[in-house]
Amino acid sequence: MTPWYRTAVFYEVPVRSFSDGNGDGRGDFIGLISKLDYLQWLGVDCLWLLPFFPSPLRDGGYDISDYRGVLPEFGTLEDVRRLVEEVHRRGMRVIGDLVVNHTSSDHPWFQEARHPGSPKRDWYVWSETDQRFADARIIFIDTESSNWSWDEEAGAYYWHRFYSHQPDLNFDNPEVRAEVLDIVRFWLGLGFDGLRLDAIPYLIEREGTNCENLPETHDMIKEIRAVVDAEFPDAVLLAEANQPPKDVVAYFGEGDECHMCYHFPVMPRLFMSLRRQDVDKLTAILASTPPIPDGGQWAIFLRNHDELTLEMVTEEERQYMWDEYAPDRRMRLNFGIRRRLAPLLGGHRPAIELLHGLLLSLPGSPILYYGDEIGMGDNYLLPDRDGVRTPMQWDDSPTAGFSAADPADLFLPLVSTDGYRPAEVNVATQQGDEGSLLNWIRDLLAVRSHHPVFGIGDFEVVPVDDPAIFAFLRADSNEKVLVLANVSKDGRACPLDMEAAQALDVRSGERVDLSGLFLDGHEFRWLSID
Ligand code: BGC
């Protein structure tokens, strides 16, 4: 039987940004529950909730101070239980975020560990000097200058791969490992259908290495997977490893680590192809992606809650992406671009559609980012990545239907750029407009749901003598679909050298003659072949 996650469409939801049920200006579980009908209507299969645990929120909740609790402004554990129930009642699923590479410095474990001689001391990574593990890169280059920070009370440096307020846990300590396994049991036991393993390459440090992807880190993931296989066999583990393909595939193990891994390198190359009107870099990265074990699945995406990361491209490509997509320096953050999908593409509807056409047909399960289905805008003047985490725009009212609070009291201001204000971009208006982006995406999801081949089929590139045309086949024992995508702005004839002469357009139901095909600028087709 095909595991559910291989044909699922995921939808990423930051609870804080989605819907405010109690009128305090911040999203919460009651609000999210009230919007589940919308998500079911849209046709997504699985929600991915960003961290919702107690946290000082200095890294959007990725700085956790209690792994078994719920941030009070979001609600209670009871609310989470209800959410899970309501999601399941609608035939959907929900996964959470397991952020255990590091805790918040506010976590009681760290506070205890700071005392020399405390039993928790060894739960973190301490050093007398800041010179150990010197080969490990710094990830948040815009804010951090070292992976070590001095703690006065501890009288030692502590290790952190991200913000200095996020000390890394010490995975060489068996107590830490046991605790993490218990956290996994806690949330899967509560009914979650899986967990995203945040920042998973960095669990273990070793001198003389870059402290990423170490064998000992893989051993820990195998321990997590063993618990899942034994106790929650239907649950999925999704690896967040922003690494080149050859290193990412290691996170599938031999089918004994994660069920899914993000394919980070594909994402920027989708954007590059569009601007360069040439698919060479995209086809090259797919060609260099090793096969994955049976039952494994890629997770692919266009945008998410972080900056559009440019870590997995060359320096020259990064500069190209910055020049093209982030001409204003304030749009840049670390090695990336803090903008949303629609503004990145200048609001150009055919380009937005084309990228969705690829997202939903390339190998992998697609993950949509909340708000991108209506073409929401961003605000890159806000600090850090807040500009892509603004309140969801439900309608054209003063709080965009996000909250009953005063607009001035929202946790972040609504998007106010021309063309993207809630009055111009919102769910209610688009639901009532047959030609809206929202209805277009909903229709595309519906079509995809009838063609599991997009989730499970083999992938084969079809050579075409035009660098702007990307042609590939997805095939399983039931069906063969030819995907054609024109990344050029201009219309192109599409000369195909295929055995089949005729195909059926699975979106329009029209018969298509494959010999005389023409694609408009940014057009894509999904063609079923006998
Ligand atoms: C998350 C980020 C977060 C970082 C540190 C990531 O990979 O996606 O939002 O800042 O982990 O926890």
Side-chain angles (χ1 to χ4, degrees):
M1 232 192 45
T2 304
W4 64 267
Y5 52 82
R6 293 191 70 205
T7 51
V9 171
F10 291 71
Y11 184 96
E12 176 183 354
V13 200
V15 177
R16 203 164 194 234
S17 308
F18 206 56
S19 178
D20 170 15
N22 67 1
D24 68 355
R26 298 166 292 191
D28 49 40
F29 278 103
I30 307 276
L32 173 53
I33 292 168
S34 74
K35 298 299 184 187
L36 291 179
D37 287 342
Y38 164 76
L39 294 170
Q40 187 183 25
W41 170 85
L42 180 58
V44 300
D45 303 295
C46 182
L47 313 188
W48 154 31
L49 302 188
L50 261 58
F52 51 79
F53 317 99
S55 161
L57 298 184
R58 283 187 280 171
D59 181 17
Y62 282 89
D63 46 334
I64 296 172
S65 57
D66 172 5
Y67 285 96
R68 290 176 182 78
V70 177
L71 186 71
E73 70 174 58
F74 290 173
T76 62
L77 206 53
E78 237 356 271
D79 295 332
V80 178
R81 278 207 183 91
R82 230 192 92 216
L83 172 92
V84 171
E85 242 175 66
E86 292 290 328
V87 164
H88 288 164
R89 205 163 61 76
R90 288 168 177 78
M92 299 189 288
R93 289 184 159 88
V94 54
I95 65 169
D97 228 307
L98 182 75
V99 189
V100 289
N101 174 68
H102 45 269
T103 70
S104 163
S105 53
D106 287 8
H107 199 296
W109 300 338
F110 185 70
Q111 289 308 320
E112 247 186 272
R114 297 171 70 201
H115 303 302
S118 122
K120 287 281 186 299
R121 181 70 166 192
D122 191 45
W123 279 44
Y124 292 85
V125 182
W126 300 100
S127 168
E128 282 166 16
T129 85
D130 59 358
Q131 299 305 309
R132 291 171 66 204
F133 313 136
D135 297 333
R137 70 190 163 117
I138 292 164
I139 297 171
F140 285 168
I141 48 165
D142 284 1
T143 33
E144 302 298 329
S145 53
S146 167
N147 287 324
W148 292 106
S149 286
W150 176 254
D151 186 87
E152 202 51 57
E153 188 172 337
Y157 291 95
Y158 61 91
W159 178 250
H160 55 84
R161 287 310 297 267
F162 294 93
Y163 285 122
S164 56
H165 57 74
Q166 289 166 314
D168 276 30
L169 282 167
N170 174 16
F171 275 85
D172 282 318
N173 182 334
E175 286 175 14
V176 168
R177 298 167 87 97
E179 177 69 22
V180 165
L181 296 181
D182 270 356
I183 295 167
V184 168
R185 288 190 178 98
F186 182 83
W187 290 106
L188 296 183
L190 193 134
F192 276 77
D193 298 287
L195 294 168
R196 166 189 182 267
L197 307 190
D198 181 67
I200 203 67
Y202 318 113
L203 298 185
I204 299 260
E205 302 73 37
R206 289 290 178 266
E207 205 54 72
T209 75
N210 66 0
C211 300
E212 300 186 15
N213 313 320
L214 298 182
E216 296 87 341
T217 290
H218 285 285
D219 290 344
M220 179 64 209
I221 300 171
K222 288 189 174 77
E223 283 183 38
I224 297 178
R225 175 63 182 261
V227 167
V228 170
D229 281 350
E231 300 171 39
F232 309 96
D234 201 32
V236 69
L237 295 174
L238 164 59
E240 192 223 10
N242 188 356
Q243 301 283 330
K246 71 170 179 25
D247 293 319
V248 181
V249 289
Y251 288 90
F252 289 104
E254 289 170 21
D256 56 356
E257 293 194 27
C258 292
H259 310 76
M260 295 181 74
C261 295
Y262 292 93
H263 199 319
F264 274 96
V266 161
M267 182 273 300
R269 287 167 178 84
L270 286 165
F271 289 92
M272 264 189 263
S273 303
L274 207 58
R275 233 9 108 82
R276 297 176 68 240
Q277 306 192 65
D278 188 331
V279 295
D280 58 345
K281 291 182 188 288
L282 187 55
T283 46
I285 201 76
L286 289 164
S288 72
T289 300
I292 61 177
D294 283 351
Q297 177 68 315
W298 291 109
I300 51 177
F301 60 100
L302 300 173
R303 288 296 295 111
N304 63 17
H305 64 289
D306 288 327
E307 69 274 25
L308 187 168
T309 168
L310 298 172
E311 282 170 303
M312 287 304 118
V313 298
T314 63
E315 244 171 77
E316 195 187 325
E317 291 168 340
R318 185 177 307 136
Q319 198 54 53
Y320 176 81
M321 284 290 288
W322 272 334
D323 292 345
E324 290 294 322
Y325 286 109
D328 184 332
R329 292 202 154 255
R330 293 172 299 183
M331 296 170 174
R332 304 178 191 179
L333 181 72
N334 299 318
F335 281 135
I337 300 173
R338 48 174 158 187
R339 302 185 73 191
R340 262 189 183 269
L341 181 65
L344 277 168
L345 302 181
H348 187 54
R349 175 86 179 257
I352 296 174
E353 291 185 4
L354 174 63
L355 285 194
H356 278 96
L358 287 170
L359 178 73
L360 268 58
S361 60
L362 281 170
S365 291
I367 304 189
L368 308 177
Y369 185 49
Y370 91 99
D372 282 350
E373 74 274 24
I374 53 170
M376 240 173 84
D378 54 36
N379 180 355
Y380 55 85
L381 301 180
L382 294 175
D384 203 347
R385 291 147 290 178
D386 284 353
V388 298
R389 301 171 180 179
T390 60
M392 178 69 174
Q393 298 174 190
W394 294 102
D395 63 32
D396 62 3
S397 67
T399 54
F402 167 77
S403 167
D406 189 286
D409 292 335
L410 299 188
F411 76 101
L412 283 175
L414 295 162
V415 169
S416 59
T417 34
D418 282 348
Y420 293 100
R421 293 187 186 92
E424 297 158 288
V425 174
N426 70 70
V427 171
T429 307
Q430 292 198 29
Q431 275 188 315
D433 170 4
E434 260 181 47
S436 67
L437 178 64
L438 176 61
N439 274 312
W440 184 89
I441 289 183
R442 178 176 183 249
D443 288 347
L444 197 65
L445 293 178
V447 173
R448 190 184 193 273
S449 71
H450 293 117
H451 298 277
V453 69
F454 289 128
I456 59 177
D458 292 339
F459 168 78
E460 184 191 331
V461 173
V462 176
V464 180
D465 204 11
D466 182 338
I469 306 279
F470 190 17
F472 55 89
L473 283 169
R474 301 299 315 273
D476 64 11
S477 50
N478 289 320
E479 191 180 23
K480 197 185 248 187
V481 178
L482 171 66
V483 176
L484 299 173
N486 174 14
V487 296
S488 162
K489 290 196 288 267
D490 307 315
R492 302 279 181 136
C494 184
L496 285 169
D497 184 13
M498 307 235 353
E499 255 173 49
Q502 289 258 309
L504 181 75
D505 187 309
V506 300
R507 292 168 56 221
S508 66
E510 286 166 22
R511 282 254 144 228
V512 178
D513 183 355
L514 288 178
S515 64
L517 265 180
F518 184 89
L519 296 178
D520 287 337
H522 290 154
E523 189 182 0
F524 74 94
R525 308 285 298 260
W526 289 351
L527 304 173
S528 169
I529 297 175
D530 291 335

